[in-house]
Amino acid sequence: MRPRGRGRTATSRRPAARTALAGALALAGAVVSVMLSAAPAAAHSYSATVYADVSEPERGVVRSVLDIEYVLLATDGARAMGDAAFEQEAYADVQAEGRDPAKLTPAVLEDHSDTVEGYVLPRFSVAVVDDGKAGEPCPNEIVAPFEIVLRDGVPHARLVIEADCSSMVDPMPVPYEISTALFPGTAPGGMTTTIVDYDVRSGAGVASLDTDTNPTMVTTTDWGSRMGEFLVLGAEHLLLGPDHLLFLLALIVGSRRLRDIVLAATAFTVAHSLTFILAALGFVSIPAGVVEPAIALSIAVVALWEMRRFRSARRADAQTIRADGGRGSDAADVDDPGTPLVGGTATAVRERAQTRTAVASPRASASFSRGDLVRIAVVFAFGLMHGVGFAGALGIDEPFSWDLLGALLVFNAGIELAQLLVIALVFPLFVVARRRVPSLGFWIAGVVAAVGLFWFVERLVGAG
């Protein structure tokens, strides 16, 4: 009979090496978490959305109602114009009002009107398109008093601009080119998106502009081209959003089988699609001060949930070993080497036991445990909150229209394509890595949980 102690010593070396490697990976993850911990602030500072409602009240007179983040205008705009006093006074204004955006007034904007006009007017322009070419920008001016309005609880400066193109158009409707150069150079990892909702004599619709890569649109642009822009915008919003990516990573590391991640991703998709459409159409409204901390908390909760599952599996493994007397090789003939492991040698015993059950009863292997159903429910619940966050990226709350609905659905399709791409790339790599380092998922989940909790506290304090 083989000495039991020697067998354990021999097999313990491999888990020890794996644990050391997992620790190294965890250290690397901690470094990444420190880098990511600054990402939300950078994303909110540099990834911005400007909203433009464009109409043509008179022939050749194009009116644009711009909503620009107040703090963004008072920082990037003020610095571009060399007006340090504007930035300082805006900061003091926010602090004096107890960080309550509802109490802000346009007084600071009015005191620095020359800076505001000098920055915005040359950077948001309308030109007449003739024979496929845009002419010089039409003369424009601000025609209404400044306002402070709230969009998702965030203060925005509202500017009403009229571009007088009447001398450049004939009685027939003409196409206009709308261009933006607001807040460029937001790299790394950021962008300034201008959502244009336009209804002029030559066309109507919704378009998405990117200051750095796609700064212009024509009011006669075909529907397919405009929707292609929203498809890209949806994909970019997920790929460049560290919070949504971390939530997806938490789902991936907690999935042992392809079925697990497919079900979790489907629950997430259905949930966020539901609230995304409702929020973007104005039927659901939750302040950003609630949504952003809730999204961060969802990352931490899902990651901690996965860590708990890993721990439970470890305890079950230990009980199996004690019951088996340290053996487990007797079932090697039915072990499925393709089944990912979440623990060390102990987990292999449990996996072999599960394989026996699957061989004996194929229906049992296809069933869902209570833990599987609870996990799906948790993901669905948090997906509802993520949907509100996705809708905030568009900021469209206009009355229902088929063009608007098309933009929303295409934007959501872009999110889903990016999500499937991440799963297709990361999940197979994680499965392979987990076979070599079974505890890898636990450590990654721990790093994700730490980042999520950090963001939760940071956003909660920032909203307070």
Side-chain angles (χ1 to χ4, degrees), residues 45-48 50 76 119 123 179-194 208-216 233 236 240:
S45 299
Y46 293 104
S47 291
V50 176
D76 289 34
Y119 181 78
R123 291 170 173 81
S179 303
T180 179
L182 294 169
F183 313 110
T186 56
M191 66 176 67
T192 300
T193 300
T194 300
S208 169
L209 305 182
D210 185 297
T211 297
D212 293 317
T213 62
N214 180 38
T216 64
L233 180 63
E236 289 177 339
L240 298 178

Side-chain angles (χ1 to χ4, degrees), residues 221-295:
T221 302
D222 63 279
W223 186 89
S225 297
R226 287 188 286 108
M227 293 304 104
E229 294 168 358
F230 278 95
L231 184 72
V232 173
L233 180 63
E236 289 177 339
H237 184 68
L238 186 132
L239 295 175
L240 298 178
D243 45 3
H244 300 299
L245 281 178
L246 272 188
F247 186 85
L248 193 56
L249 179 61
L251 298 182
I252 290 174
V253 300
S255 301
R256 293 187 299 109
R257 297 157 294 190
L258 180 61
R259 185 194 74 174
D260 296 338
I261 185 59
V262 168
L263 289 176
T266 300
F268 181 63
T269 295
V270 172
H272 81 65
S273 297
L274 176 63
T275 50
F276 168 77
I277 298 296
L278 293 176
L281 291 175
F283 294 108
V284 175
S285 179
I286 303 177
V290 175
V291 173
E292 293 298 326
I295 289 177

Side-chain angles (χ1 to χ4, degrees), residues 432-459:
V432 173
R434 184 170 50 188
R435 288 174 181 169
R436 293 182 176 273
V437 187
S439 58
L440 178 62
F442 177 85
W443 292 108
I444 293 179
V447 172
V448 172
V451 176
L453 288 173
F454 179 84
W455 285 351
F456 172 67
V457 174
E458 181 186 50
R459 295 176 183 182

Side-chain angles (χ1 to χ4, degrees), residues 82-224:
D83 189 351
F86 181 20
E87 180 177 1
Q88 295 169 358
E89 291 177 24
Y91 177 79
D93 186 28
V94 172
Q95 296 299 315
E97 301 302 336
R99 306 186 75 170
D100 183 355
K103 296 180 180 179
L104 293 172
T105 69
V108 176
L109 294 174
E110 293 167 355
D111 291 342
H112 296 271
S113 58
D114 290 344
T115 296
V116 175
E117 294 180 11
Y119 181 78
V120 176
L121 291 181
R123 291 170 173 81
F124 188 86
S125 61
V126 177
V128 174
V129 177
D130 186 14
D131 291 332
K133 295 183 180 179
E136 291 295 319
C138 302
N140 60 357
E141 61 178 344
I142 294 178
V143 296
F146 298 124
E147 293 182 68
I148 296 292
V149 298
L150 298 182
R151 299 188 73 111
D152 293 325
V154 178
H156 284 66
R158 173 163 290 179
L159 285 65
V160 181
I161 302 172
E162 283 189 358
D164 187 359
C165 306
S166 56
S167 63
M168 308 176 195
V169 303
D170 51 34
M172 298 298 293
V174 299
Y176 296 102
E177 181 184 81
I178 300 173
S179 303
T180 179
L182 294 169
F183 313 110
T186 56
M191 66 176 67
T192 300
T193 300
T194 300
I195 304 296
V196 182
D197 189 353
Y198 63 97
D199 187 359
V200 297
R201 302 188 183 201
S202 56
V206 181
S208 169
L209 305 182
D210 185 297
T211 297
D212 293 317
T213 62
N214 180 38
T216 64
M217 62 148 293
V218 177
T219 55
T220 53
T221 302
D222 63 279
W223 186 89

